[in-house]
Amino acid sequence: MAIFIICERAVALRGDAIMPADLTDSVLQGKPLAGGPHSALGRIIQFSEKHPGDDDGAKAYARLEVIKMERGVSYLDMIYTGAPLIGLIGTVFGLLSAFAVIDPDTKMPDPAKFTESVGYALSATLIGLVVALVALVGNGYLQRRIDSQAARLDVLLERILSRAGKSRGQTAGKELLS
């Protein structure tokens, strides 16, 4: 499950899916914006064009786009927290099984069954730790990626809003002159 979430979010957070280079360049260079619903930046541009003058609404919409980018990442928190605990349950179960094979007459365990049960206990610990480590590393990578994309979106949104404010000011100035 952790590997699926990591792979799916890594694909969903690729640069072109969030901020295509041509659209980013258009925003930064002040060129006409032609955003489509195929990227987060495109959807933000569409929202700001449909709701001119609503800067707070555009910022809230951009925050919703960031929340969409975070989808599923919270499950990685649960996985890397819970996997060692599940491994610990397996360890305790394996050790209980190991001590259950003690012969009541000799008070000694069957060596083959005892080592097999201890092996299961250690395997459960190892599997829990490996799953937790994969989820922890994946979560860290995805969080840094989301934070980076969100910061870049904030900068671009400010550019979009300042440009929209300037165009509204120019339109109002033309109306006063007429």
Side-chain angles (χ1 to χ4, degrees), residues 102-167:
I102 295 177
D103 186 8
D105 295 332
T106 63
K107 306 288 188 218
M108 296 296 293
D110 178 12
K113 290 182 180 178
F114 185 81
T115 55
E116 181 181 352
S117 296
V118 170
Y120 287 140
L122 294 175
S123 296
T125 304
L126 179 66
I127 290 170
L129 292 174
V130 167
V131 168
L133 186 61
V134 168
L136 181 64
V137 170
N139 184 58
Y141 167 76
L142 292 174
Q143 286 295 340
R144 283 188 305 279
R145 183 101 179 163
I146 290 167
D147 291 344
S148 171
Q149 298 281 26
R152 291 177 62 202
L153 276 174
D154 284 343
V155 169
L156 294 172
L157 178 61
E158 289 301 322
R159 291 279 181 112
I160 292 166
L161 294 177
S162 69
R163 184 161 67 176
K166 287 179 187 176
S167 68

Side-chain angles (χ1 to χ4, degrees), residues 15-141:
D16 287 343
I18 305 298
M19 291 173 281
D22 58 339
L23 193 53
T24 302
D25 290 341
S26 296
V27 170
L28 293 174
Q29 295 172 4
K31 295 178 181 177
L33 302 177
H38 306 293
S39 67
L41 181 58
R43 290 187 292 273
I44 292 169
I45 290 170
Q46 280 186 336
F47 182 88
S48 65
E49 288 174 348
K50 286 181 183 177
H51 303 90
D54 187 7
D55 292 357
D56 291 336
K59 289 177 183 179
Y61 186 81
R63 181 67 192 135
L64 287 174
E65 287 293 331
V66 172
I67 289 171
K68 286 181 190 177
M69 290 191 287
E70 294 171 340
R71 186 186 77 224
V73 176
S74 62
Y75 293 121
L76 291 175
D77 291 336
M78 291 188 296
I79 292 170
Y80 75 72
T81 303
L85 297 175
I86 293 171
L88 185 60
I89 290 170
T91 302
V92 170
F93 182 75
L95 291 176
L96 287 174
S97 297
F99 292 115
V101 296
I102 295 177
D103 186 8
D105 295 332
T106 63
K107 306 288 188 218
M108 296 296 293
D110 178 12
K113 290 182 180 178
F114 185 81
T115 55
E116 181 181 352
S117 296
V118 170
Y120 287 140
L122 294 175
S123 296
T125 304
L126 179 66
I127 290 170
L129 292 174
V130 167
V131 168
L133 186 61
V134 168
L136 181 64
V137 170
N139 184 58
Y141 167 76

